[in-house]
Amino acid sequence: MVQNLVCTPELDESLDPNALAIVLRLENTEYEPEQFPALICRPSGADSVVLLFASGRIVITGSPDLDTAEETFAALQDEVTDLLTVD
């Protein structure tokens, strides 16, 4: 029985974890680059934890199934893409 998937999608863009920590609601994120090089995001209403690296690599963990992981990634991708395209 699968209880926890770990997925590693990538965005086609580099990320600024400092800026994302502010915009993605501080109560749902942690970013301490001295401790760990990724922004840790806990999307509200999701069981998953998302790690966002400056390189654009993402790790989604804690998803009970692939559909949930894909939904989490799609929602996050939309939000991050909107932030990247705002001038």
Side-chain angles (χ1 to χ4, degrees):
M1 170 192 261
V2 175
Q3 294 181 344
N4 180 26
L5 292 178
V6 177
C7 303
T8 56
E10 272 188 65
L11 294 174
D12 294 331
E13 308 256 352
S14 295
L15 302 173
D16 180 352
N18 284 315
L20 286 175
I22 294 167
V23 179
L24 291 175
R25 294 177 290 286
L26 290 172
E27 64 271 3
N28 294 335
T29 63
E30 294 176 42
Y31 183 56
E32 297 183 32
E34 303 83 24
Q35 301 293 320
F36 187 68
L39 171 73
I40 302 168
C41 181
R42 292 175 176 83
S44 57
D47 295 331
S48 305
V49 174
V50 181
L51 308 176
L52 296 119
F53 292 87
S55 65
R57 181 167 234 56
I58 296 174
V59 176
I60 301 171
T61 186
S63 298
D65 55 56
L66 188 55
D67 288 339
T68 302
E70 288 175 342
E71 290 170 9
T72 300
F73 176 67
L76 185 71
Q77 185 178 26
D78 288 345
E79 193 166 355
V80 169
T81 300
D82 288 346
L83 295 174
L84 292 173
T85 57
V86 172
D87 293 315

